[in-house]
Amino acid sequence: MKIIAKRLAAALLTLIIGSLGEAALADTPTNQSFSPDPQIQKVAEAYAMDAVDFSGKQFGIKLDWSDASIADVEKALARMNSSYIGANPKPTDEQVMSFAKAYGSYVGEVYRRNHGGEWGMVTLGEDRFPGLRTTAGRSFWPWARAFNRITKGSEDNIADYYMALSKK
């Protein structure tokens, strides 16, 4: 499990460095493919539970797997962004990624449970990273969005992101 988590983290760091995390939803460009992977789903489910636990303990927020709970995820990530901005020195990308994986997995799991879809590896050009494919065949990568919300701020609002995903 640790090897899978390290591979996923490495793939996601490549994604972030390559600025692929900017896209909220891809309409399956010709150079994109998706490979379902049940192991990624298991990892995402575990990370999502970490977000539920951490939110309750740290922020007094109860995440209940509903679409409406994504607004609470936004509140938690906004608080993390405030801490990140004020931090000196800044947390490393790996430290931020541990929270991004948890909250991004929660967002992905809420989507999967409430709207369908599956976890797997998205290949975009030469880059591979964990993400989801919707039942309509579109791919998205919530770990990168959560990372961007923590590090960049409100322009990467996770509730707006989720609302856009839910409408597609």
Side-chain angles (χ1 to χ4, degrees):
M1 188 69 94
K2 287 183 181 182
I3 292 171
I4 291 170
K6 285 181 182 181
R7 286 182 188 160
L8 292 175
L12 195 50
L13 286 174
T14 299
L15 162 71
I16 291 164
I17 291 168
S19 298
L20 294 174
E22 298 294 323
L25 183 65
D27 286 324
T28 314
T30 56
N31 65 343
Q32 178 181 321
S33 65
F34 180 85
S35 301
D37 188 332
Q39 278 304 110
I40 293 173
Q41 181 170 321
K42 288 179 184 176
V43 169
E45 288 171 345
Y47 282 141
M49 289 304 302
D50 289 343
V52 171
D53 293 343
F54 186 79
S55 290
K57 291 176 186 169
Q58 188 66 30
F59 302 122
I61 295 172
K62 182 178 181 345
L63 298 178
D64 64 4
W65 308 101
S66 68
D67 288 342
S69 71
I70 303 302
D72 289 327
V73 170
E74 171 58 27
K75 290 175 189 172
L77 294 178
R79 289 178 66 179
M80 287 182 204
N81 173 256
S82 293
S83 294
Y84 178 84
I85 289 170
N88 189 12
K90 296 275 187 245
T92 66
D93 283 353
E94 288 177 355
Q95 290 169 324
V96 174
M97 187 54 65
S98 66
F99 292 100
K101 285 189 256 184
Y103 284 94
S105 291
Y106 179 82
V107 169
E109 275 299 288
V110 170
Y111 186 91
R112 185 186 68 80
R113 291 175 184 199
N114 297 331
H115 303 281
E118 60 188 332
W119 285 94
M121 290 301 288
V122 177
T123 301
L124 186 58
E126 295 184 18
D127 297 308
R128 286 179 47 86
F129 44 91
L132 286 97
R133 181 175 57 191
T134 68
T135 55
R138 294 181 180 95
S139 297
F140 66 100
W141 29 98
W143 290 5
R145 185 57 172 240
F147 183 92
N148 287 346
R149 178 60 182 98
I150 294 167
T151 60
K152 294 181 179 180
S154 61
E155 69 262 18
D156 288 295
N157 182 298
I158 204 89
D160 293 345
Y161 172 74
Y162 188 84
M163 190 179 309
L165 291 170
S166 298
K167 288 180 182 177
K168 297 273 180 178

